[in-house]
Every structure is written in C-alpha cells, then in structure tokens.
Amino acid sequence: MANSLVVEDFSLRHTLECGQFFRWNRASEDVYEVQRKDVSFRVWQEGGRLYFTDVSAGFVKQFFSLDHDLPAITRAIDRDPWMHAAIRRYWGLRILRQDPWECTAAFVTSIASNIPRITRNIEDMTGAFGIGRQFPLPEELGSEQRLRALRLGFRAKYLVDAARLAGAGLLEDIESMSERDGRDALMVIPGVAEKVADCVLLYAYGRLGAFPVDTWIRKVMRQIYFEGRRASDERIRHFASHYFGRYAGYAQQYLYVYSREHWDEIAAKSVPKSDTAVIRDLASKVMTTRVLARAQRP
DNA sequence: GGCCAGGTCCAAT
DNA sequence: ATTGGACATGGC
C-alpha cells in the first residue's frame, strides 16, 4: 500500500542519481529502492506526485529536503549562463539529508574511486557486516584486514579510524557547531580532509554553503571561472562562496552533474561571455579581501 | 599497459 | 604554502 505526497520543484531521478548518494537501486524502470540507516523503502514519482511505501510522509519530506525553497536557492546561484543551463537541465535536484555516519563512510570510500565501485564497496560492507540491509553501524564495521578482503584497499585503515571516532560520538555534536568547527571536527578523522568533510557537511548536515572540490569541480571551475588557469582548492572554495553565496553547495552539485554530461561543451566555450566582467570583478574583490585580511593580521 | 579515478597523508622544498 | 609520490584496485 503506497502513500503519496504532492511535490513541487522536485525530481526524484536527479536527486538520487546526481552522485551525492549511493544507497539506491532500481526496482524497475521508475521505482527506486532506497536505504537510509535502518529504513528501507520504495519510491517513485509521477509528475507532481511522489509515491512511497514503508515510510511516513514526514520522513520523505525530511530525507528529500522538500522543505528547501528550491526556486529561491536556484535564483540565488543562477549567476551566469553555465549555472543557468545546469539548473535547467537538472531542475528538481535537491541536496539530501543523509545519515552522518553513512555519509562519512561513503565519502571515505569514495577517495580516488568512481561511482560504480563506491556503490559496490558499500554494498559489500553492508552484506558482510550489516544487519539486514542496514549499512554496518560503527561498532559493526569489520577490521582493516576484513575490509581489505572486501577490496577497499588503502581506504580500509581510514574506515576503521572513522568507525572508532564515530562510535566515540564524534559525529553527534557537529549538528550544533558552526560550519568551521564542524569541518575541523570531521577533519580529525584520518582519511577525512577538506573534500570529504565538505561532502559530509553538505550531504548530511545540511550546510548548504559547503563546496566540495573534487577533480571534476576543480577542472570545471578552472575552465569557467579562472580563464583555464590553475587555482588552488582554497581559492576555488573562496571564490565559490563569494560568487554563489550561502547556497554554494547547491551550485557545486548542479555543476558536478552538468559538467560530467557536458564537459566537451564547457571546454569548447570556456568562460560565459555575458558575465566575464562580473566574474572578473568578483575575483578581484576576493583578492582584495584576502590582501586586507593578510594586512590586518598581527 | 599506462593512466586516472568525487583524495589524503607525508616529506621535501 | 606548494608540490610529488605512495597508497589498492579497477576500468578504459
């Protein structure tokens, strides 16, 4: 027996398949089977109606962030033709509210990997150590040796450390911390540095300003906003937070999926013509801010 | 067959 | 502060 919900500005497909989340599969052409912690449910969308089994409407609203004001968010980040195209192409994509431990484990697993393999690694860990279909709790995750046997490679050691610290409660206080402090707390975990920490902040803690810089984002940001020149991850993040504002994380996600589908086009056209001046202006403001900050330092 | 993948860590500039 | 190599495994 399925329940349903009227949804606006939401695409189940784009939300699940954009690379932010790995614990789903297709039960059929339109039906997704989704696992989040101890919850396993089916979900499908028919136009403006979302159908689901085994979970409450409240859970669905929360998990899919149906409370986010997507029109306002996309209006805020819609600063140039590339972002505009990305938003149009993936209209309805929302940042999920994942479980912090699962999200941390998933993005530690993602290090120097690829989506099919990450998905398989997570399934393997669930099958080997989880109870039922639940991803193993921190206390249930196997030893480094057993994780290596599951082909986690050098990530095995990181996962063991992450489980130990998560089991000790590291992830529980982050909700109430500032973004900066939460990031620092996450980075205490060996195997969690800037990129993975930003993924967890964005995908699990709803810190929509977090801007994970991975190889794709680095490539596309340099191409579009830095005239093809190198820029450190720090500069990219700094630029993004000024340029896109408090919803920069959403911009990151749209850019991520869009660039993977349209890279050739981006590489060919480079800087968005109509907004080159705006970008240059902002980039110089960012530089000025940095210089001033440096000058004021004792 | 070498190169790179939703990186991180460590050591050497 | 920035840069290069190691780290496991897999897909092209």
Side-chain angles (χ1 to χ4, degrees), chain A residues 80 224-225 239 243 271-272 275-284:
Chain A
D80 58 65
I224 297 180
Y225 303 110
F239 170 80
Y243 183 64
V271 180
D275 240 18
T276 308
V278 175
I279 292 165
R280 193 164 290 145
D281 182 49
L282 263 152
S284 73

Side-chain angles (χ1 to χ4, degrees), chain A residues 91-250:
Chain A
W91 183 255
L93 187 170
R94 286 168 188 264
I95 299 296
L96 292 168
R97 283 194 179 89
Q98 298 184 40
D99 172 69
W101 159 241
E102 285 188 356
C103 189
T104 302
F107 282 92
V108 167
T109 301
S110 81
I111 296 173
S113 188
N114 54 74
I115 290 174
R117 185 182 172 198
I118 299 161
T119 305
R120 196 172 61 244
N121 283 158
I122 292 172
E123 284 171 0
D124 288 348
M125 287 188 277
T126 302
F129 310 122
I131 294 170
R133 311 177 61 174
Q134 183 174 182
F135 183 78
L137 298 172
E139 315 82 61
E140 296 167 349
L141 197 70
S143 63
E144 178 182 344
Q145 192 174 26
R146 296 197 61 190
L147 288 166
R148 282 180 183 268
L150 292 181
R151 325 255 72 178
L152 268 298
F154 61 81
R155 304 163 195 81
K157 185 192 294 286
Y158 296 152
L159 283 163
V160 169
D161 286 331
R164 180 172 45 78
L165 290 166
L170 181 82
L171 301 175
E172 283 158 27
D173 303 322
I174 292 178
E175 193 81 59
S176 61
M177 297 170 65
S178 70
E179 186 169 320
R180 169 73 70 103
D181 288 350
R183 197 164 187 260
D184 288 343
L186 287 166
M187 287 174 59
V188 165
I189 301 170
V192 177
E194 282 85 355
K195 192 271 178 182
V196 172
D198 285 339
C199 285
V200 177
L201 287 173
L202 179 60
Y203 303 138
Y205 291 104
R207 302 303 169 99
L208 304 182
F211 194 87
V213 178
D214 75 324
T215 52
W216 275 95
I217 289 297
R218 194 175 298 130
K219 187 163 79 161
V220 71
M221 289 294 287
R222 285 175 181 177
Q223 180 68 17
I224 297 180
Y225 303 110
F226 290 85
E227 302 178 343
R229 283 193 269 250
R230 316 172 46 94
S232 69
D233 294 351
E234 184 54 43
R235 275 199 66 187
I236 292 173
R237 280 191 294 271
H238 197 253
F239 170 80
S241 75
H242 282 253
Y243 183 64
F244 294 119
R246 64 185 174 289
Y247 300 124
Y250 258 96

Side-chain angles (χ1 to χ4, degrees), chain A residues 14-54:
Chain A
H14 294 156
T15 298
L16 286 178
E17 299 193 7
C18 71
Q20 63 175 319
F21 180 66
F22 306 96
R23 306 208 62 212
W24 58 271
N25 55 275
R26 289 264 181 81
S28 69
E29 180 62 19
D30 299 313
V31 181
Y32 292 88
E33 213 165 74
V34 175
Q35 278 98 234
R36 199 204 105 124
K37 251 186 132 175
D38 54 334
V39 175
S40 180
F41 65 103
R42 289 178 175 227
V43 58
W44 62 99
Q45 181 171 17
E46 290 171 16
R49 194 166 278 275
L50 188 65
Y51 295 88
F52 47 90
T53 64
D54 311 307

